[in-house]
Amino acid sequence: MSDVVIIMGSTSDLPVVEKAKTLLQELDVTVAMRVGSAHRTPEHVRELIAKAESEGTKVFICAAGGAAHLAGAVAALTARPVVGIPLAAGALGGVDALYSTCNMPPGMPVATVSVGSWGATNAALLAAQILAVADDALHERLCAWRAQKTSDVIAKDQELQAGDSQG
């Protein structure tokens, strides 16, 4: 059983999507990755969603570029939260995927994050925040992760200031 299932449209999306998987694992969230296309394998996607739900998946993350209908197709198949990561593919650099992912009709919401690797990081964090509503230990891990990021910035500032005072 995985709390989060990440579905990508193609294995070419793996370098970006791995960032979400790695962060979720760092937060001790169970995650599985799958490949399915809204256009090429709609029945496969339907089967993935049904199986994942029956095994207890709570959140789906979908990554796709171009027409980027994967997140919307998944949202049509589940009442679980769906987070969409638009990916840069083709001449428009991901803007087309961003619009496709976020422009969902009423009743089929997809939480959409930014294009590419920043989006993958935020998709993982959003999925973890959704799960943390009912998991105090995960909430604490998220707070610790954020506190560490704050400390990292402060440390970089201190390093910079120490370097300036010596020069």
Side-chain angles (χ1 to χ4, degrees):
M1 189 227 34
S2 297
D3 287 326
V4 176
V5 170
I6 300 171
I7 306 171
M8 65 197 99
S10 165
T11 55
S12 65
D13 304 330
L14 198 53
V16 172
V17 174
E18 275 286 336
K19 294 175 184 348
K21 178 184 177 191
T22 299
L23 180 50
L24 287 165
Q25 289 173 328
E26 182 182 324
L27 293 168
D28 200 25
V29 173
T30 58
V31 59
M33 296 203 323
R34 302 298 304 262
V35 176
S37 169
H39 304 111
R40 294 185 183 106
T41 63
E43 286 306 314
H44 177 64
V45 170
R46 182 183 302 277
E47 292 165 6
L48 288 176
I49 300 311
K51 186 174 189 309
E53 282 190 328
S54 73
E55 293 174 351
T57 295
K58 296 174 181 73
V59 180
F60 292 93
I61 296 175
C62 300
H69 293 142
L70 182 58
V74 170
L77 297 170
T78 184
R80 302 281 186 197
V82 176
V83 181
I85 306 170
L87 299 174
L92 298 178
V95 172
D96 50 348
L98 175 63
Y99 289 155
S100 292
T101 306
C102 71
N103 282 324
M104 293 299 300
M108 295 296 140
V110 171
T112 307
V113 294
S114 59
V115 175
S117 61
W118 284 13
T121 297
N122 283 335
L125 291 170
L126 181 55
Q129 288 175 321
I130 291 166
L131 295 170
V133 168
D135 183 339
D136 290 339
L138 177 55
H139 180 261
E140 291 302 317
R141 291 192 299 275
L142 276 164
C143 290
W145 185 90
R146 290 175 71 154
Q148 182 60 55
K149 294 301 173 194
T150 299
S151 295
D152 292 348
V153 171
I154 302 287
K156 292 294 181 187
D157 179 54
Q158 291 170 344
E159 288 174 25
L160 181 64
Q161 296 310 308
D164 281 350
S165 65
Q166 294 176 3

